[in-house]
């Protein structure tokens, strides 16, 4: 998988998370509303990717799941901090749903790619 595709997948996951949440809560304002909900998490994901890229020569090198955990947790922590600073909601239930949804998909695609690469290497 091309390395440049990984950050794009993470950002798409954040946008899907925001769009799904808005739809489930009956909120309107399609693109603008999704971006309003998503921007703190998009910034958080970008911060996570910067951390991963800076730390590439350290313990994170070659460990997609480890890098994925960094991006996932940065997405949530930075995202919630920015939501709090911008007077958006950070209810505990929202934090939990954010952790679960983004963690499942951000780590899930990495686990699937690692599995497929191992399988192809052994074939």
């Amino acid at each position: 998988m091309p390395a440049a595709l990984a950050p794009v997948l993470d950002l798409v996951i954040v946008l899907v998370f925001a769009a799904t949440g808005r739809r489930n809560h009956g909120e309107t304002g399609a693109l603008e509303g999704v971006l309003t909900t998503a921007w703190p998490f998009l910034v958080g994901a970008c911060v996570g990717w910067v951390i991963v890229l800076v730390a590439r020569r350290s313990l994170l090198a070659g460990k997609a799941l480890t890098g994925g955990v960094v991006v996932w947790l940065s997405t949530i922590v930075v995202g919630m901090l920015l939501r709090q600073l911008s007077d958006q909601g950070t209810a505990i239930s929202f934090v939990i749903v954010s952790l679960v949804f983004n963690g499942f998909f951000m780590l899930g695609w990495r686990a699937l790619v690692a599995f497929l690469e191992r399988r192809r290497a052994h074939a």
Side-chain angles (χ1 to χ4, degrees):
M1 183 174 92
L5 187 57
V8 172
L9 285 174
D10 289 334
L11 297 177
V12 167
I13 288 166
V14 170
L15 290 170
V16 169
F17 165 70
T20 302
R22 292 186 60 82
R23 182 171 174 228
N24 287 341
H25 291 284
E27 296 177 13
T28 60
L31 182 59
E32 181 183 344
V34 170
L35 293 176
T36 297
T37 301
W39 78 264
F41 300 106
L42 293 170
V43 171
C46 290
V47 168
W49 269 103
V50 168
I51 293 168
V52 168
L53 293 173
V54 167
R56 187 177 284 271
R57 297 177 194 237
S58 72
L59 297 174
L60 296 177
K63 298 184 179 179
L65 284 177
T66 304
V69 170
V70 170
V71 173
W72 166 48
L73 293 178
S74 176
T75 298
I76 303 307
V77 171
V78 172
M80 290 301 170
L81 288 172
L82 290 173
R83 283 182 63 85
Q84 189 69 30
L85 290 172
S86 62
D87 293 325
Q88 296 185 43
T90 56
I92 190 67
S93 58
F94 181 63
V95 174
I96 292 168
V97 168
S98 301
L99 276 165
V100 171
F101 182 98
N102 288 287
F104 178 80
F105 288 103
M106 286 180 170
L107 300 179
W109 76 257
R110 287 170 170 85
L112 179 61
V113 167
F115 170 77
L116 293 174
E117 287 176 351
R118 278 192 308 274
R119 188 172 176 203
R120 184 175 46 212
H122 290 25

